[in-house]
């Protein structure tokens, strides 16, 4: 099964993310948009993992979560990778306890490496992917919309746990199921 470790985003924030996506959907681009109800902050993608390895992963995840404590995060600022004019990915940023979040991500990464799961080589950049841009039909409208909402700020939320998630790819889109949860202590 295909697994990853993530922080769940509260439903109230997902609802606001859908509103922001709504503005971008009519901004002159063709894109595949992330489903707001499935949005999460991925800390570590594990790939294909056997059922037998799940208890070991959960034990290591709980140890990684110890000593971190709850995090206060908020969602703010919209941007695009690699840049707005040549956007391929449109994202919304995270603010708040980013230093603690980064310590958590490093602890999770190190714990999974001890289980022989390959280390992620890319630097961790906390963000939520709103969509993947296929084609910019109207550059002026796209850039104007990004400029109008670039300073968006959504309500903050507290993170008290991190989840082991299963991802199943279906014709209707990815389905995510929580396999276990480690409390941030």
């Amino acid at each position: 099964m295909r697994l990853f470790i993530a922080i769940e985003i509260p439903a109230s924030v997902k609802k606001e993310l859908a509103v922001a996506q709504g503005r971008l959907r009519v901004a002159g681009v063709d894109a595949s948009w992330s489903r707001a109800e499935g949005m999460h902050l991925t800390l570590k993608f594990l790939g294909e993992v056997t059922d037998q390895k799940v208890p070991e992963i959960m034990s290591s995840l709980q140890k990684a979560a110890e000593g971190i404590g709850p995090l206060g995060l908020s969602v703010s600022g919209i941007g695009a990778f690699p840049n707005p004019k040549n956007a391929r990915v449109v994202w919304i940023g995270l603010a708040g306890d980013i230093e603690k979040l980064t310590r958590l991500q490093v602890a999770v990464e190190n714990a999974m490496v001890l289980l022989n799961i390959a280390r992620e080589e890319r630097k961790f950049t906390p963000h939520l992917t709103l969509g993947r841009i296929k084609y910019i039909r109207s550059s002026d409208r796209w850039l104007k919309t990004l400029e109008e909402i670039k300073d968006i700020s959504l309500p903050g939320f507290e993170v008290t746990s991190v989840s082991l998630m299963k991802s199943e790819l279906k014709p209707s889109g990815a389905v995510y199921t929580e396999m276990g949860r480690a409390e941030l202590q």
Side-chain angles (χ1 to χ4, degrees), residues 27-31 83-88 133-143 146:
V29 295
D30 293 331
N83 60 63
K85 285 186 178 176
N86 299 307
R88 292 293 168 251
I133 307 299
K134 297 175 183 168
Y135 179 69
I136 300 174
R137 284 182 275 113
S138 172
S139 185
D140 290 344
R141 198 162 86 200
W142 169 246
L143 293 173
L146 275 182

Side-chain angles (χ1 to χ4, degrees), residues 45-89:
F45 180 73
L46 305 179
E48 290 295 324
V49 175
T50 62
D51 290 349
Q52 294 78 16
K53 198 156 183 140
V54 169
E56 192 177 16
I57 290 170
M58 281 307 306
S59 176
S60 292
L61 183 58
Q62 187 59 59
K63 287 176 188 164
E66 292 174 3
I68 300 291
L71 308 172
L73 296 177
S74 61
V75 180
S76 64
I78 287 182
F81 295 133
N83 60 63
K85 285 186 178 176
N86 299 307
R88 292 293 168 251
V89 171

Side-chain angles (χ1 to χ4, degrees), residues 100-140:
K100 282 175 77 175
L101 174 64
T102 301
R103 273 195 299 130
L104 173 62
Q105 191 276 332
V106 168
V108 167
E109 184 76 46
N110 290 339
M112 295 304 116
V113 167
L114 291 175
L115 299 178
N116 294 319
I117 296 172
R119 180 177 298 280
E120 175 62 56
E121 296 301 325
R122 290 180 294 179
K123 182 181 177 218
F124 177 64
T125 306
H127 70 277
L128 304 172
T129 298
L130 295 176
R132 298 183 188 286
I133 307 299
K134 297 175 183 168
Y135 179 69
I136 300 174
R137 284 182 275 113
S138 172
S139 185
D140 290 344

